[in-house]
Amino acid sequence: MASMEAIIIEAASIEAASIKAVSTEAASIEAVSIEADTNASSRHGIASAHERESVSDICRLPFELLARVISHLPLADRAHAATSCALMRHAVDSLLPSLTFLDLKAGSPCLDDAAFAALCRRLGAAGVGAGLELGQPLGTAGVGEGGEWGEERGEEGGGGGEEEGGKKGGDEQGAGVESVRDMGGRRKSCLRRLELDCWHLSDRCTSLLPESIEELALCGADKHTDALIQGLADRLGPNLTKFAFSGFSRSIGSDSFVSLLSVSPCLASLAIDAGEGLHVGAVVMAAGSLCPNLRELSVYDISMETLVYLSTCHLPHLTRFRHKRRHEWGMGLTDAVVMRIVRLCPNLEELLLVDKAEGVGHGRGDEVREQGCDLLTCWP
């Protein structure tokens, strides 16, 4: 009996010792973990301090040198740099007038009239900004809460290219910022090519564009009026060499396009994709009469009469012709059409004819037969 009690006492002692050892080991592990966390936090703090010091060192550079360094960055990186501090934003803004190409199709949901006006001003557009109140946010789309540039705007102004950094920061306030507005307003814009989705913009947006633009692709014009095209005529007409339009508004008529073509004698490329409300034949005939340098034409649903009229115009430079037939009244794929196009464009390099008209079957002469194929194969 005594030996049994001794065994029980010895087992209890062993168990207590094991529990104590396990507890001691757990405490040691926890201490090591806490120390590791402390070291990691310390290293993170040191890294953050180094990052702040490196940014601070960059900002100590002369402004002209800082802008020169930023000019070598990709557009997306410039936009991110613009969110770091007011000076970086100042430097990025100073480079906007030097852009030659800008694609604003993807950023259209972030653009309202006020934001677009501010962007055009920073790009160097003349006469822009009269309707913009200082100290007012640029708009409700893609703009932060306040009116200052700061790190709190890092996410709003950081993506989508330099145009996003140029338009998503809110209106400027504070010392040294007004000079950016003056610089953007005085420097002559170098922008030559612009792709713009105007869905969220009003008709007056085209009257804000930099006058240096020579190539314009305008899409999303589904709810606009003739004033949209008239603004282009007033702003870009004499310089315009390429114009692509896509929109299905019934409030835009052929007269506005004719007005644009009448002041655009240098136009070399015209592409129109619109709805039934636009008499595209009248626009094409005006282009043939008013634009002798026309090299590329992409249209839809023009009639055979329109094509015959074009053949009477002297268009020796026309080398690319594209046509889509959507309705029965548009010219189809026939030998007569191919023959007329060959006569119209003796130097043709590209021909695209698409027939999407519903209810038009074969066996009615709506196809290219052997004669048309011979014309194409014998093309010089």
Side-chain angles (χ1 to χ4, degrees):
M1 192 69 179
S3 61
M4 180 63 70
E5 290 179 356
I7 292 173
I8 292 173
I9 292 171
E10 184 178 359
S13 301
I14 293 173
E15 183 177 2
S18 299
I19 292 173
K20 183 178 180 181
V22 170
S23 300
T24 302
E25 184 178 359
S28 301
I29 293 173
E30 183 176 2
V32 171
S33 176
I34 292 173
E35 183 178 0
D37 291 342
T38 302
N39 292 336
S41 300
S42 177
R43 286 194 301 270
H44 178 70
I46 294 173
S48 299
H50 285 318
E51 291 175 0
R52 287 193 297 270
E53 289 177 2
S54 63
V55 172
S56 178
D57 290 340
I58 293 174
C59 291
R60 291 193 186 101
L61 293 173
F63 182 80
E64 293 78 7
L65 182 57
L66 177 62
R68 181 71 64 87
V69 171
I70 294 176
S71 68
H72 293 283
L73 295 176
L75 296 183
D77 291 341
R78 294 190 201 181
H80 287 295
T83 65
S84 61
C85 65
L87 182 61
M88 284 290 192
R89 180 61 176 272
H90 188 163
V92 171
D93 272 0
S94 71
L95 297 172
L96 286 176
S98 64
L99 287 178
T100 58
F101 167 66
L102 199 55
D103 185 353
L104 292 179
K105 297 193 300 296
S108 63
C110 301
L111 282 177
D112 59 7
D113 284 343
F116 187 68
L119 174 60
C120 289
R121 179 175 175 81
R122 288 169 179 157
L123 288 169
V128 179
L132 200 63
E133 294 183 17
L134 296 177
Q136 205 177 25
L138 293 182
T140 57
V143 180
E145 291 282 330
E148 298 181 5
W149 297 340
E151 296 181 358
E152 68 274 12
R153 297 191 179 277
E155 296 182 358
E156 285 87 350
E162 182 169 344
E163 66 271 19
E164 298 293 326
K167 68 176 180 288
K168 286 185 179 180
D171 221 14
E172 308 95 302
Q173 292 179 359
V177 178
E178 187 62 29
S179 60
V180 180
R181 301 178 63 87
D182 294 337
M183 183 180 299
R186 286 198 304 263
R187 287 187 59 183
K188 184 178 179 181
S189 175
C190 296
L191 192 64
R192 296 291 181 267
R193 179 183 169 196
L194 174 65
E195 298 181 6
L196 174 65
D197 186 343
C198 62
W199 172 262
H200 296 277
L201 302 175
S202 67
D203 291 336
R204 67 183 291 267
C205 69
T206 52
S207 63
L208 305 175
L209 297 174
E211 296 175 331
S212 59
I213 294 176
E214 299 174 356
E215 303 177 15
L216 176 66
L218 190 66
C219 64
D222 298 337
K223 55 182 181 179
H224 298 80
T225 66
D226 288 332
L228 182 77
I229 306 301
Q230 189 58 50
L232 286 178
D234 298 337
R235 194 75 173 175
L236 307 180
N239 297 327
L240 202 60
T241 60
K242 291 186 178 181
F243 180 47
F245 175 84
S246 177
F248 296 87
S249 172
R250 291 182 173 271
S251 300
I252 299 180
S254 58
D255 290 343
S256 59
F257 281 92
V258 173
S259 176
L260 172 62
L261 295 173
S262 66
V263 294
S264 306
C266 299
L267 191 70
S269 176
L270 177 64
I272 298 179
D273 185 17
E276 300 178 17
L278 179 66
H279 186 194
V280 68
V283 179
V284 172
M285 288 190 287
S289 301
L290 301 171
C291 306
N293 298 317
L294 199 63
R295 297 176 180 272
E296 184 176 0
L297 185 62
S298 180
V299 290
Y300 66 98
D301 278 344
I302 64 172
S303 63
M304 190 63 178
E305 290 74 15
T306 302
L307 189 61
V308 170
Y309 179 85
L310 276 181
S311 63
T312 64
C313 301
H314 186 58
L315 298 173
H317 305 295
L318 189 59
T319 57
R320 292 178 174 85
F321 185 85
R322 308 181 190 94
H323 179 266
K324 180 187 288 187
R325 185 190 190 190
R326 296 177 183 166
H327 302 92
E328 288 191 38
W329 60 78
M331 65 180 190
L333 300 178
T334 65
D335 287 344
V337 169
V338 174
M339 184 181 301
R340 184 65 66 176
I341 293 175
V342 171
R343 291 177 179 175
L344 168 65
C345 313
N347 300 315
L348 198 62
E349 299 174 358
E350 178 185 341
L351 175 64
L352 178 61
L353 300 176
V354 180
D355 195 337
K356 293 290 186 179
E358 297 180 359
V360 179
H362 296 290
R364 298 170 44 186
D366 292 327
E367 60 230 18
V368 178
R369 298 180 184 274
E370 183 176 354
Q371 183 181 4
C373 291
D374 289 341
L375 286 171
L376 293 176
T377 54
C378 295
W379 215 330

